Amino acid sequence: MLTGSKNTFKVRQMLPDVKERMLSQSSANAQSRDVFGLRCLPGECVLQRTVMVRKKLTAREGRGWLSGTLFCTHFRVAFMPQDSPKPDDNADPVLLGEHDVALASIEKVVAVGPNRIKLVTPNSSLKFTPEELVLYCRDMRVMCFLFDRLTPDAQVIEITYTIAKTYQPLKPGSVLSFQNAALGSVEMKQFLSNRRRDAHMNWFESASEWEQELERCGATSWRVSSVNDRFEMSTSLSRFIVVPQKVLDTELKKSFAHFNEGRIPRWCWRHPRGSDLLRMASFQNNIYHEKDDIRNLEMVLFGCQSSLCVVVELGEELPSPADIQLAHCRLRALCLGDISTSVSMPDDKWLSTLESTHWLDYIRSCLRKASEVACLLRSGHLTVALQEVEDRDMSCVVSSLVQVMCDPHCRTQQGFQGLVQKEWVMAGHRFYSRINYHRDSDKEESPVFLLFLDCVWQMWFQFPSRFQLTDDFLLALHDSIHLPLFSTFLANCQRERCKRSQNLGQSYTPVNGWRDVLNPDSSSDPSDPPLPPVWDWALQYSQERRERFTQPVPPPAPLQLLLNGNLNTNPDAHRLADTIPGSVFLLSRGTFTCPANLPPWRSSTSGVYKKSHRRAPSSEGVPGLERLLKAWALTEFPQSIPSTFGPQGPLDPYEPLLPLLMGPCMGLWRECYLRGALHAQAFSHPVSTNSLHPVERLAQEVQQLKDKLAQISTSSSSDSPTVTPEPRQTDTNLNRSTNNSTFLYPASRTQAAGASRAAPPPTSTNHQTSRGPSSTSRPGNRDAAGGNKHSFLFRHSSATDARHNPQYYPPPSNAKLPKSNGASVGF
Amino acid sequence: AMASPVSAYNSNTLDSQISNVDKDLIYICPFSGAVKGKVLITNYRLYFKSSDADLPVTLDVPLGAISRVEKMGGASSRGENSYGLDITCKDMRNLRFALKQEGHSRRDIFEVIFRYAFPLSYSQHLFAYLTQEKFPENGWNVYKPVEEFRRQGLPNNKWRIAFINKNYSLCDTYPTVLAVPYKSKDEDLSRVAAFRSRGRIPVLSWIHRENQAVIVRCSQPLVGMSGKRNKDDERYLDLIREANDTTKKLTIYDARPNVNAVANKATGGGYEGDEYQNAELIFLDIQNIHVMRESLKKLKDIVYPNVEESHWLSSLESTHWLEHIKLVLSGAIQVADKVSNGNSVVVHCSDGWDRTAQLTSLAMLMLDSHYRTLRGFEVLIEKEWISFGHKFSSRIGHGDKNHADQDRSPIFVQFIDCVWQMTKQFPTAFEFNEHLLLTILDHLYSCRFGTFLYNCENARDQTKTVSLWSLVNSKADLYLNPFYTPDAGQVLYPVASMRHLELWVSYYIRWNPRIRQQQQSPVEQRYKELLALRDEYLKKLEQLQLSDSSSSFHLVNSSTSNTTSSTASTPSQQYTQLHTPL
């Protein structure tokens, strides 16, 4: 299926001169593929290649330079190291190799010659032979290629021109031609249309997927409504929204008009202590509120809590999209260290210049807001409604950060992907305009999602052992944003995505969800390639890279806590119950107020409602609430919530992870922003693959000790007839353990089973409950199973998994160790 | 109840209580406010425990860490908690206690602290001379100069081991065993000593095994205002150059800024001029001890007690602390790079015991992976710092009440910070962990060990004190980096750029309870658990081998089921006991 044979060339979008060159070189290309071993995508062809090139390796890749051949195709700049293994022709195509960069990711091409530096544009002509070629990328990578003295000058100049002419500075029209270059071939289209969606994550596309989430969270008094099935109620909301059970669709329909863009309060997440997180757009004030409307509006807003609703206004304390854009531009300029511009920031002013970008300030304010909300939620039994004018930017950030803080599921790769689907993709974050792929929405451009990723990275950086996903995963997601190939990012809302896939036919088969295709086989424009979701990581990254997306963590604790969604363990709960039913408070700048026109219908003169519900807007309630926020400030003191900081993890897994926000605790995501800084590339210490990892060495030693101990104890205890059977049991357990690593992790199943034999009911142990049928049916456990491949390192691991996959996974620090380090070790 | 602090340390023979101080007072905690409790003072530490069970605050401060004790308020002072004691510590914190004005309680406690924190001012012994602590390992055996030279492949046909200083007659601040060019005679050395500040002649610190390039250290030449020359010194430096075939020009790194070097001429010092024909001189622009002291003082101002919130990064920048770290590191990188390229170098500053020690030891850490092991790092400190006369006693001011002494400076702290920066940039390259670095800095001040008490080898009294390495090597597991991957022959060049240097938060801001220790990674956690498990098994094995068969069964039975839950936390608990202040 691999090829580039002539009849699959897609030339329709190409510049004429490129086409000519391509055709004239095609025979050479056929040979070169054999000689240099570049594995092309179907339909991809090599425009230019240059031999004897060295690529500068970045921090993560180790030190120095790598020799090989540089290629430019009409989709990417590729680099093949000299002695890379022969590609497997039968493997599925991967868009980008380890050393490649997509043309669409390139922002600038700079040629470095003797004593001169030139920015190369499609129209520029070179008056010197470059010694070095530097590609500045939109994802903040910088690729640097060094030409050898022996590299033919013609090749050097040609490849520089070719890259400069074919890379696509994003502009209207170029995106489609790029998509065609990558995915447009018949083979590629076919390949993509046969892809299956990842069934382990929740895509939130179908009603049943939303129901799964309701079940996972134990949100029993909520239901999935399809009132917006045809996007008639709100064009930017998803087809399915979650609303209180007790509100009927017919009643619900009247609520839409009262909110900007029809974005009514919808359920996002339920804290196991029984609070609900909602989000909504701003109220439409100039609307006449009928009595019936008001009843419904109150029900929608209060959700399933009768007593208390806190509206968290996101506008004031958080950066605007324009602020974020400006800060990000400054950060880019600061971090990239672009050699083509003579302005360079003196190193001794680095810290204050970084501060003046405000990027870290904005991250801090998002994390602070999310921490406040998380603390409100953990107090139980109230509704927190995030409100933003449009409800499509900062409410995505805050609602998802709250869940990352509170819900361990969202700190797994699959869970996080589901979270992004729920709070960004389905909630209608305007990815398409914010990323501005077409350079036609400069005013709208704002990397809100990248700000969010950095916030998550800060959390990861402070609590590395509480995340199953790694910074490698966050980085991969960060980089993918800049490739205009994924359906995930190429639309502003679900309606737009649906339109497109209706036109093209469904390329990705939903698992058991909606498939609303009128004529499934009629693709309106067969030349437009089907776009994959970003979550199909195998398209972009090798198996090896993808394995680094996750790390072993103890599997999430059994989810019994969630079964009824109500935990009355909270000391604050009874105090809050005193508040007058139906109170609405506004949280803004750290204080609670009770404005008369919040919500606006309460101030209207129309209703009887006013009388019954506006008894003294409870000043009593306010101190209770403010204490919750104080509690948040206090949790920064380790002694006040010891469970959160214990080395073994918290007692309550839903106790929020509250990041420290003091200046010294906020880090710069160097692995992302500084990987291009050529003048200052730290490199990791190369790891020798021959020696055992110290953890494994120690594990072996412990094993030997344990064997010895068992030996002595069995031989000595066999003298005593009364105890004979027990030591034998111990013995067999140990023998089993020697074949796998489980015993090293003492509370593992094998061992706990042996231990509980003496104790009466074996069902009382943790792991057996978690294996019960009730838990397997819950979607939340799916990724616990997925996580098990690594979890042998930890105490809740299962013996079976460990036996099959005795790999050692690297720690979340920079100390990345090659997998082979531990793969061969049988303990 | 107050007998416990002593046993909180693993050795219960460590210190003894001074009986008459066991007072009620109020600790004005900058984080939790006023805390009532009792203070206990031993001959080693000040221990405070809150009496309120809901507010568990404890303080455990070695008296050696105290730099200044002051009375605040007078008999007529009004206002809550305005009468008491103010204690300034050398380890980035201050303590404030409030007392009742009645009686003589303050005078008593002030005098006890003063007397035991500054024993030298009272002609008393430092605590290290009083302690009866015993350890299975003897840390004084860690460093044997001749063995270390042998490890480096010395002597050889270019370099010899000289014993001319065996009575400290050539140079009283140098070690007895020196490595010098094979061709130099002992008389030459004496004549060179006359031309080098305090007789600190150029001697070999380290030799590259393959290319035979060397790091040589010394003090400044006594050029003076008149620009004196010394043929012996010039000839001697040329011998050093000739000892390596590939060194065309000997590179002399003068750690100071150019202007400082010039200014030193006024006091008889200076730098090598053009008369040194086959040498090039490079200034590394590292500031002197006074600048470093002020810089750390500024840093303390922005992190203790409250962390500067609004403009943290620019405040940090204005302390210049990281910039100084950067200059030291980049100086060491230049040294290491020259040497690994086969070029011999000479490093000096003014006296060759502050900046020179920083540069040579950091360069050696970059060049030689042996120094990146636990034992090797101990050797490095013993050799480049202690034996070559870094003036620990003066720089720290052990037991001396003169807190404003201009000789005090955090040069060694700065070195350990540089090492920490390297461990951050190369997380798998060092056998030891951050805990070791913190332990070293704690005992830099504690006066519990003899290691950092003296100004030079000559003054050191090994027989009467215990080495810090006795403590470390007796429990080496605590100080090991689980991710260490040995790798011979790799030169590590850290990135000395503000972009990649970080403030060592878990040292400088560790007293702030809001700063929690960086969470351990799962694998590190696993490693700690395994260590505890191993200790447990070892203990059980020992017990089993001693006891009879019937009792051994019970041991096994109980151990296999429940071991980890009980033992897993042990190492971290130890960690907390030893190093968490509150």
Side-chain angles (χ1 to χ4, degrees), chain A residues 4 8-14 18 22 40-47 73-77 93-96 102-104 166-168 173-189 192 484-485 527-531:
Chain A
T8 64
F9 284 159
K10 285 277 157 213
V11 292
R12 90 188 157 98
Q13 299 287 338
M14 300 191 116
V18 171
M22 203 169 71
C40 293
L41 293 173
E44 186 185 17
C45 79
V46 173
L47 301 176
T73 77
H74 56 307
F75 161 65
R76 60 179 161 164
V77 173
V94 174
L95 293 175
L96 295 166
L103 291 173
T166 31
Y167 91 95
Q168 285 122 334
S174 70
V175 169
L176 185 62
S177 81
F178 176 75
Q179 287 166 353
N180 274 307
L183 313 170
S185 69
V186 176
E187 290 95 329
M188 217 44 202
K189 283 179 181 167
L192 288 175
L485 290 180
S527 58
D528 286 351
L531 299 179

Side-chain angles (χ1 to χ4, degrees), chain A residues 347-349 351-352 355 461 463 465 638 645 647 660 670 680 694 701 706 713 716 744-746 793-794 808, chain B residues 311 313-314 317 326 482 495 497-500 513-514 516 518-519 522-523 525-526 534 537 549 552 556 564:
Chain A
D347 198 48
D348 57 350
K349 291 276 169 266
L351 292 173
S352 49
E355 180 180 287
F461 185 65
F463 303 96
S465 61
F645 305 93
L660 293 175
R670 289 195 176 82
E701 202 185 324
K706 184 148 188 172
S713 63
S716 56
L744 293 170
Y745 309 98
L793 262 174
F794 295 89
Y808 167 73
Chain B
H311 294 284
L313 289 175
S314 38
E317 186 176 279
K326 169 186 148 173
V495 175
S497 152
M498 297 302 283
R499 290 163 165 81
H500 289 269
R514 287 176 182 232
R516 60 184 160 246
Q518 188 82 32
Q519 275 212 337
V523 182
Q525 209 170 298
R526 187 68 225 132
R534 186 183 69 178
Y537 288 157
S549 56
S552 66
V556 171
T564 18

Side-chain angles (χ1 to χ4, degrees), chain B residues 81 243 361 401:
Chain B
N81 302 330
S361 54
K401 66 178 179 184

Side-chain angles (χ1 to χ4, degrees), chain B residues 267-312:
Chain B
T267 52
Y271 51 90
E272 292 82 355
D274 296 337
E275 63 273 18
Y276 292 81
Q277 279 174 356
N278 294 314
E280 57 171 344
L281 184 72
I282 295 170
F283 293 103
L284 293 178
D285 284 329
I286 301 170
Q287 298 293 337
N288 62 24
I289 60 168
H290 310 294
V291 175
M292 301 308 183
R293 181 181 56 238
E294 293 314 309
S295 173
L296 189 63
K297 206 173 268 172
K298 281 185 197 155
L299 181 63
K300 183 174 176 178
D301 287 344
I302 65 163
V303 299
Y304 192 92
N306 295 312
V307 174
E308 178 71 46
E309 281 278 9
S310 52
H311 294 284
W312 163 250

Side-chain angles (χ1 to χ4, degrees), chain A residues 9-69:
Chain A
F9 284 159
K10 285 277 157 213
V11 292
R12 90 188 157 98
Q13 299 287 338
M14 300 191 116
L15 305 164
D17 65 333
V18 171
K19 183 167 39 174
E20 274 166 39
R21 184 173 325 127
M22 203 169 71
L23 293 173
S24 68
Q25 292 196 346
S26 59
S27 60
N29 288 338
Q31 277 178 351
S32 75
R33 261 191 302 281
D34 290 329
V35 177
F36 299 100
L38 178 70
R39 189 173 172 230
C40 293
L41 293 173
E44 186 185 17
C45 79
V46 173
L47 301 176
Q48 186 65 43
R49 65 156 210 278
T50 309
V51 294
M52 287 181 286
V53 178
R54 283 182 297 159
K55 180 187 181 238
K56 182 160 187 171
L57 296 181
T58 64
R60 300 211 146 201
E61 297 162 334
R63 195 185 167 187
W65 303 83
L66 193 64
S67 300
T69 307

Side-chain angles (χ1 to χ4, degrees), chain B residues 155-197:
Chain B
N156 60 18
N157 58 357
K158 305 279 183 160
W159 295 88
R160 66 186 180 93
I161 308 294
F163 296 94
I164 180 178
N165 199 35
K166 66 171 182 286
N167 299 318
Y168 303 105
S169 50
L170 178 80
C171 171
D172 61 351
T173 57
Y174 257 17
T176 51
V177 182
L178 302 172
V180 295
Y182 190 82
K183 288 183 181 166
S184 67
K185 300 196 179 61
D186 280 358
E187 309 87 83
D188 300 336
L189 301 181
S190 301
R191 283 197 290 269
V192 172
F195 190 64
R196 289 278 164 179
S197 174

